Amino acid sequence: MNGRLGLDQLGLSAGKKTRLHRILYQHGLQNGTALFLPYDQGLEHGPRDFFANPDAGDPKYIIGLALEGGFNGIAIQIGLAEKDYAGEVPLVLKLNGKTDIPSTIDPLSPVNATVDDAVRLGADAVGYTLYVGTPAQEHDFAQYLCVRRDAQRLGMPLIVWAYPRGSAIDGKGGKDSFYAVDYAARTASELGADVVKVNFPHPDKQFDVPGPYQSEFSAQQAIDAVVRSANRTLLLVSGGERAGDEAMLDKARQSMEAGATGLIFGRNIWQRPRDESLRFVAALKEILAKYPSA
Amino acid sequence: MNGRLGLDQLGLSAGKKTRLHRILYQHGLQNGTALFLPYDQGLEHGPRDFFANPDAGDPKYIIGLALEGGFNGIAIQIGLAEKDYAGEVPLVLKLNGKTDIPSTIDPLSPVNATVDDAVRLGADAVGYTLYVGTPAQEHDFAQYLCVRRDAQRLGMPLIVWAYPRGSAIDGKGGKDSFYAVDYAARTASELGADVVKVNFPHPDKQFDVPGPYQSEFSAQQAIDAVVRSANRTLLLVSGGERAGDEAMLDKARQSMEAGATGLIFGRNIWQRPRDESLRFVAALKEILAKYPSA
Amino acid sequence: MNGRLGLDQLGLSAGKKTRLHRILYQHGLQNGTALFLPYDQGLEHGPRDFFANPDAGDPKYIIGLALEGGFNGIAIQIGLAEKDYAGEVPLVLKLNGKTDIPSTIDPLSPVNATVDDAVRLGADAVGYTLYVGTPAQEHDFAQYLCVRRDAQRLGMPLIVWAYPRGSAIDGKGGKDSFYAVDYAARTASELGADVVKVNFPHPDKQFDVPGPYQSEFSAQQAIDAVVRSANRTLLLVSGGERAGDEAMLDKARQSMEAGATGLIFGRNIWQRPRDESLRFVAALKEILAKYPSA
Amino acid sequence: MNGRLGLDQLGLSAGKKTRLHRILYQHGLQNGTALFLPYDQGLEHGPRDFFANPDAGDPKYIIGLALEGGFNGIAIQIGLAEKDYAGEVPLVLKLNGKTDIPSTIDPLSPVNATVDDAVRLGADAVGYTLYVGTPAQEHDFAQYLCVRRDAQRLGMPLIVWAYPRGSAIDGKGGKDSFYAVDYAARTASELGADVVKVNFPHPDKQFDVPGPYQSEFSAQQAIDAVVRSANRTLLLVSGGERAGDEAMLDKARQSMEAGATGLIFGRNIWQRPRDESLRFVAALKEILAKYPSA
Amino acid sequence: MNGRLGLDQLGLSAGKKTRLHRILYQHGLQNGTALFLPYDQGLEHGPRDFFANPDAGDPKYIIGLALEGGFNGIAIQIGLAEKDYAGEVPLVLKLNGKTDIPSTIDPLSPVNATVDDAVRLGADAVGYTLYVGTPAQEHDFAQYLCVRRDAQRLGMPLIVWAYPRGSAIDGKGGKDSFYAVDYAARTASELGADVVKVNFPHPDKQFDVPGPYQSEFSAQQAIDAVVRSANRTLLLVSGGERAGDEAMLDKARQSMEAGATGLIFGRNIWQRPRDESLRFVAALKEILAKYPSA
């Protein structure tokens, strides 16, 4: 287990510290951990994600869920933020995104909103998807630079969705491999993210990875290493596609044990009836409660 | 049937609300519904669209038709707005467009006018064609971001022509499939459109679509779902190529029943003699009259 | 025959109207018609165009010809405007151009001067080549937008060289087909040109064109239609490669009969000895004299 | 022989005239002719060009040579101008350049310094390499436009290295053909160069050139034509790769006879011992002395 | 052996001189030599570089090592500079970088931070990786131009990582060949670097290089030539992948003998236990102590 990071250890400007403090210590469990509700799937996957629970297609339903579940924040695109959000829970304005219709080989997630939009809407953080490992990194880094600079200028915390992607990743163990997730966490940290969101690393799913990753690692060892690679960047583990509850709770426990700051679970929350959602949230919060940071 | 949206539920700034109010409550039936006349086919298809009714090649004829037919607005490109428009009916300045001469695989619609042009010309809204699903979405979103920001800054309502296009769409059911239209409506909403224009969805025309869309759906179920996916974005259904009147009126009824705000019909209106055009308009307005919003 | 357009019917700003008035009513025949001398072939084709009449390689010779022939203006690139022009006749500063050395499949004509340059040099109009129908329209429209906006801001008339080009045009009847020229004229009008320059349309040279263009049309019917498609945009017919005098005079008559504002003839003028040039100019002006506009 | 151009015939702004006057009448032979020393080969070819005379790798040696040889100016890149230049002879700051490591098919020479840098460093002119005939002309012209505008704004003479290049040139007679050099000279002139640098044209080295160039031409006829095509743009003939002295002196004589303003010789000067360099320079200046301009 | 450069011979602005003076004469051996610790491998190679010595994954460990080892500076990316650096040793903010996940054929290193960031963070220099020889030089030079201009404006020394790369380099002797390193050093110098970082040149590893490089050269002759090519640009030799200590010390001696200003060694330092690191540093400093510059 790595040491848990306090907000004073992150080199944050006053505005960023203020806003992260609001998210981490004035919402959710108010203990420095975080549970975020991401809701950009309407753009990333289309309405098909809402067929399992049609209520979930309505942003008002989701915001209600975040409020009742006591989340630390929701992450949505500009359109929903503009029309459906009214300050109920902290807002993470997602600044880029794409549809999954065209080929996702070597993707880039184009920006559709700005940090100024986030300020105007009263957001407490912005989110940026960085596809680590694609040849499009040239354009991605250029886009990212503008976002990082604006976030710095406006004191807005920057959460990087650090997603390994692209043909080279596919050929080096895949996007959930320990190697890929570890590299993605480090990349976000080197590039100046305040918070990084990663998928849970799978040491058993990789192949053709660089030598050092070819030893045997347990899941706990992998997530420990990823948290270390993220260095003084707060780390959130995402839920990904809906899976069995016990598996998800195990991941959550291992992540928090490794020193993660929290979780960002979407489809695993809202692709089920409301009561079931809230019961699952309660189980997650029970885990988070065990890992307060001063 | 979905609930009908009022202007207060859309998160609109003062300027956008004022201009949409002028369009929806001071023109046409003045009951919150809308009938728009799009007239950008001279650019999109070339003069060939005017051979069926040569009068239609003259913008003055079209503006006269919009005036006599009691439309809520016309949508034209900068050249016609500059030269032929004189404030007769509300103006939707179309900001982008392209010829159909080169291949339309993976298209992008380049911007040829700005929101500042729209303000200068006294427009009450701007229109932007977003080709949802093409690999060019990287450039499209970048262009769109500028338009959306300017529209926000200047209080100008933004109508997104949300058109599924590109090779991936062709391989996933086609541009009129329920899947494609549903995704396009949601994309416009997520990206912050105030109004979205879609084609009528065809649940029976699709193939190879994602699982949730492979069930049986009626046309009414499909358009209901699309209106829901558009969320708090006003929805207009377009007429597309000229077709039989009864089929068009059926589409119109189903759309309004589903909660659409109105219709945007071009070639179905002006590719026939003037009297016939006006009779068809009257039939459409009879339908719209049944769906007032407060 | 279409009605002849007056300057008050074009939606022109004060500056544009003033400058067009100077060109059309204070130079040439001073009757609202126009005869322009284009001289950008040194860039577009290279010095080879001057071998037929070596004097023509010297811009001073050309300017002298324009002056003695009583032209309404000359169209040249920035280099010649800067070095050789001294206000003798109205200047149309051509803002873009290219060499014909690399392949001309799907061309783009890059900008090499600005509307500010035109103002600085005392020009009365600017010229922009728009290659209608190429896949490069995305870049072309973006370039064009800047030029159109600057021209609007500075009150400078914008003459669009509307040239159908590219592989798709080659596959749909070719660049001189009625279909292609008609579409090009409309495109310039829709995009906000004040004046459009087209080649004479050939209804007999086309193949594989869209249905409406597959009927029989006379040359007069074709040029009539093109003038109508140009709508409230003044139309100039260009001479193109040097051809027989009688054929050229026929084109000129048919164009003026159709409602064109004038002619823009280069190589047909200066690729011959000076006296012969002036005799040919006199014949053209005899035609123009018959089509005054009030 | 063409007439020799005076500075008053070039349409120059005050600042450009002042700086060119300093170069042409206050340095070198002070008779309106010019002998320039280009020294950008360290970037364009790498240090290999210095192996023949290792001293030549040191910019201080070259500047000393320019001073002792009585050159009108040296042309160097920003790095050497910043570090090695101290005002000894007029400075032509070369604004773009590239290594010759990657393929030179269809090249572009990217900008690495600005006209503002030139002003800051006390330069009397700037140099820009334009690769005439490559498909990259779209980017080249865009880059060039910025340079030309800045040079205009700051009164800085612009010398264009007009180099025919690219696969189309290779297929039309090659980069030293009369056709290619003639077109390149005209292009620079049309685009607003104040001075153009060309290679000596070879009427005997071309093949597959356009018709007018297929006649028999002497070297003198070719260089005469090139000077005419350059019009009111001062023309410099470059030396290119090192060759026999007599051949170089012949080229120099023919160029000056044709009306060129001067010569720009690099490797032919400094790829030999210092004394030999100065003797060759003396021979060149003997030629230049015969062609004073008032 | 070449002469050793003093700070007064480099054409430096006041700010650049001040900051380089601080690095070279107030840190490390304070004798004008330099030993830098580069630590951007977390981005360039990923966390795999830290497996040999897990402590090295923590920037605080590295900064401690730099402090105890008496380095002249550390080179890190913006994220670590923002979060982990507190002024302990001079900071070289690395402004660009990339992951090594996608193909490294013809690479470009995209910018992720600015010179303004460097000023804000109290840095004493900025670092830029220039991949000499790739077709991407067009984009690279454009990026570089902005960095160089900003560095000039803000008085910030610019250290160029001059790395030969790309398919053409692979075909001309490889990235460590004498030819490639020599060209890279000269390119950085021509483009205005204040300091250039190169790999040690290998005259014995090259093939298919240009003629002048095909003679026999000793390692000392090669590094001598490279220092000469760098001209009045301070030169640092990098360590590259970890290798045997004696080989590294030999390289260090030869480099200093040739006139290099110093060394920049990363993995050879920190990919071993702390004590061993410090012993190796001591050996390097023993060499540097022999080459003071006034």
Short mmCIF file of all heavy atoms in Angstrom, two decimals, chain C residues 156-170:
data_model
loop_
_atom_site.label_atom_id
_atom_site.label_comp_id
_atom_site.label_asym_id
_atom_site.label_seq_id
_atom_site.Cartn_x
_atom_site.Cartn_y
_atom_site.Cartn_z
N MET C 156 -14.94 45.85 -50.25
CA MET C 156 -14.23 45.54 -51.49
C MET C 156 -15.02 44.50 -52.29
O MET C 156 -15.27 43.40 -51.79
CB MET C 156 -12.85 44.96 -51.12
CG MET C 156 -11.94 44.65 -52.28
SD MET C 156 -11.40 46.09 -53.20
CE MET C 156 -10.32 46.90 -52.00
N PRO C 157 -15.42 44.81 -53.52
CA PRO C 157 -16.16 43.81 -54.32
C PRO C 157 -15.33 42.54 -54.51
O PRO C 157 -14.11 42.61 -54.71
CB PRO C 157 -16.36 44.52 -55.67
CG PRO C 157 -16.28 45.98 -55.36
CD PRO C 157 -15.29 46.09 -54.23
N LEU C 158 -16.03 41.41 -54.45
CA LEU C 158 -15.37 40.10 -54.54
C LEU C 158 -15.82 39.39 -55.81
O LEU C 158 -17.00 39.09 -55.98
CB LEU C 158 -15.74 39.27 -53.31
CG LEU C 158 -15.35 37.80 -53.27
CD1 LEU C 158 -13.86 37.61 -53.55
CD2 LEU C 158 -15.71 37.18 -51.94
N ILE C 159 -14.85 39.19 -56.70
CA ILE C 159 -15.13 38.48 -57.95
C ILE C 159 -14.63 37.05 -57.80
O ILE C 159 -13.45 36.83 -57.52
CB ILE C 159 -14.41 39.14 -59.15
CG1 ILE C 159 -14.77 40.63 -59.22
CG2 ILE C 159 -14.75 38.42 -60.44
CD1 ILE C 159 -14.09 41.39 -60.36
N VAL C 160 -15.53 36.08 -57.95
CA VAL C 160 -15.13 34.68 -57.80
C VAL C 160 -14.95 34.04 -59.17
O VAL C 160 -15.88 34.04 -59.99
CB VAL C 160 -16.16 33.90 -56.96
CG1 VAL C 160 -15.87 32.39 -57.01
CG2 VAL C 160 -16.12 34.38 -55.51
N TRP C 161 -13.74 33.56 -59.41
CA TRP C 161 -13.45 32.73 -60.58
C TRP C 161 -14.05 31.35 -60.23
O TRP C 161 -13.41 30.59 -59.49
CB TRP C 161 -11.95 32.57 -60.76
CG TRP C 161 -11.15 33.52 -61.56
CD1 TRP C 161 -10.27 33.20 -62.57
CD2 TRP C 161 -11.03 34.95 -61.43
NE1 TRP C 161 -9.66 34.34 -63.06
CE2 TRP C 161 -10.11 35.42 -62.39
CE3 TRP C 161 -11.65 35.90 -60.59
CZ2 TRP C 161 -9.78 36.77 -62.53
CZ3 TRP C 161 -11.32 37.25 -60.73
CH2 TRP C 161 -10.40 37.67 -61.71
N ALA C 162 -15.23 31.02 -60.68
CA ALA C 162 -15.89 29.77 -60.28
C ALA C 162 -15.59 28.70 -61.32
O ALA C 162 -16.25 28.61 -62.35
CB ALA C 162 -17.40 30.01 -60.13
N TYR C 163 -14.59 27.88 -60.99
CA TYR C 163 -14.08 26.91 -61.97
C TYR C 163 -14.37 25.50 -61.50
O TYR C 163 -13.80 25.03 -60.52
CB TYR C 163 -12.57 27.08 -62.11
CG TYR C 163 -12.14 28.25 -62.95
CD1 TYR C 163 -10.80 28.60 -63.04
CD2 TYR C 163 -13.05 29.01 -63.69
CE1 TYR C 163 -10.37 29.66 -63.83
CE2 TYR C 163 -12.64 30.07 -64.48
CZ TYR C 163 -11.30 30.40 -64.55
OH TYR C 163 -10.87 31.44 -65.32
N PRO C 164 -15.22 24.78 -62.22
CA PRO C 164 -15.42 23.37 -61.88
C PRO C 164 -14.12 22.61 -62.14
O PRO C 164 -13.54 22.75 -63.22
CB PRO C 164 -16.51 22.91 -62.85
CG PRO C 164 -17.08 24.16 -63.45
CD PRO C 164 -16.00 25.19 -63.38
N ARG C 165 -13.68 21.82 -61.20
CA ARG C 165 -12.43 21.08 -61.35
C ARG C 165 -12.45 19.81 -60.50
O ARG C 165 -13.26 19.69 -59.59
CB ARG C 165 -11.24 21.92 -60.85
CG ARG C 165 -10.78 23.02 -61.75
CD ARG C 165 -10.10 22.53 -63.03
NE ARG C 165 -9.56 23.66 -63.79
CZ ARG C 165 -10.29 24.57 -64.46
NH1 ARG C 165 -11.60 24.48 -64.48
NH2 ARG C 165 -9.68 25.56 -65.11
N GLY C 166 -11.53 18.94 -60.79
CA GLY C 166 -11.34 17.76 -59.97
C GLY C 166 -11.82 16.49 -60.64
O GLY C 166 -12.52 16.51 -61.65
N SER C 167 -11.44 15.38 -60.04
CA SER C 167 -11.72 14.09 -60.65
C SER C 167 -13.22 13.84 -60.79
O SER C 167 -13.65 13.24 -61.78
CB SER C 167 -11.04 12.98 -59.84
OG SER C 167 -11.23 13.19 -58.47
N ALA C 168 -14.00 14.31 -59.82
CA ALA C 168 -15.45 14.07 -59.92
C ALA C 168 -16.04 14.84 -61.10
O ALA C 168 -16.93 14.35 -61.80
CB ALA C 168 -16.14 14.46 -58.61
N ILE C 169 -15.55 16.05 -61.30
CA ILE C 169 -16.03 16.84 -62.44
C ILE C 169 -15.64 16.15 -63.75
O ILE C 169 -16.44 16.06 -64.68
CB ILE C 169 -15.43 18.27 -62.38
CG1 ILE C 169 -16.12 19.10 -61.29
CG2 ILE C 169 -15.53 18.98 -63.73
CD1 ILE C 169 -17.57 19.46 -61.56
N ASP C 170 -14.42 15.64 -63.78
CA ASP C 170 -13.97 14.95 -64.99
C ASP C 170 -14.88 13.76 -65.29
O ASP C 170 -15.11 13.41 -66.44
CB ASP C 170 -12.52 14.46 -64.83
CG ASP C 170 -11.55 15.64 -64.69
OD1 ASP C 170 -11.94 16.77 -65.05
OD2 ASP C 170 -10.42 15.43 -64.22
#
